[in-house]
Amino acid sequence: FKVNNGESNNIFIENGNIEIIDIKKPIESAVIDLNLSGEIEDIINYVRNSPINITDFDRINRLSGKPDFNLKLKFPLLLDLKVDEMIYESTLSFKDSIFYNLYDKYTLKNADLDIKIDGTGVNYSGQAKFEGLPLKFVGKQYLHKKMEKEQIELDVDLDSNFLENNFDSYLK
C-alpha cells in the first residue's frame, strides 16, 4: 500500500509504504515505512503517548526545529500484539539548526545532527559550531538502565585559519 498523506497530533505523513510480508507463513507481518514532518516538540509529545519509552533521553527534549523524520515499524499481524514484538527505528535529521543549552548551558550553532532511535537507545552524530569553534561529534545513549552510561566523542577542528582569526577570543 502507498500512503500519500495524513495527520495525527500535528505530525504529518509526507509519504510512505505499508507492506504485508510472510504471507505463506503461519503468521504474516507488516512493515511500515513513513516519511513524516512536524516540529520536534510535537514529535516528542507523540512518542510519549506511544509504548516507546524516551523519558531517559533528556537531550532530545532540548532540541528545537523541524527535522526530516522517518519511522519504520515491523511487527507480526496478531490480535494480541505485545509492544516488545514490535521492531521500530526512527531517524531524525536536522540541517543548519541552533540548539540552545544542548549540553549544560552550551549552545551549538550551524548544527547538522542525525539521530537514530531504536530498541537499544539513541545514536547521534553531527557537526556544529560551538562559540565559533567547528566540531564533529558522535554519541550513544542506551535505553536500558543496565547500560545507562552515555558515550560522546568529539573531534575539534583546529585548522590554522580558525586559530589565527579567533586566537584572541579564546585566550582572555
Side-chain angles (χ1 to χ4, degrees), residues 34-81:
L34 301 173
N35 292 311
L36 307 164
S37 67
E39 295 291 331
I40 188 67
E41 294 85 4
D42 293 322
I43 294 168
I44 291 168
N45 288 334
Y46 191 82
V47 173
R48 278 193 184 121
N49 292 322
S50 77
I52 300 168
N53 183 4
I54 65 162
T55 56
D56 295 331
F57 304 127
D58 183 46
R59 204 142 352 273
I60 289 177
N61 294 322
R62 298 179 194 176
L63 300 177
S64 61
K66 189 174 182 178
D68 293 332
F69 178 30
N70 178 267
L71 176 64
K72 294 179 182 169
L73 302 169
K74 182 178 179 183
F75 51 89
L77 294 175
L78 301 171
L79 292 175
D80 57 349
L81 178 67

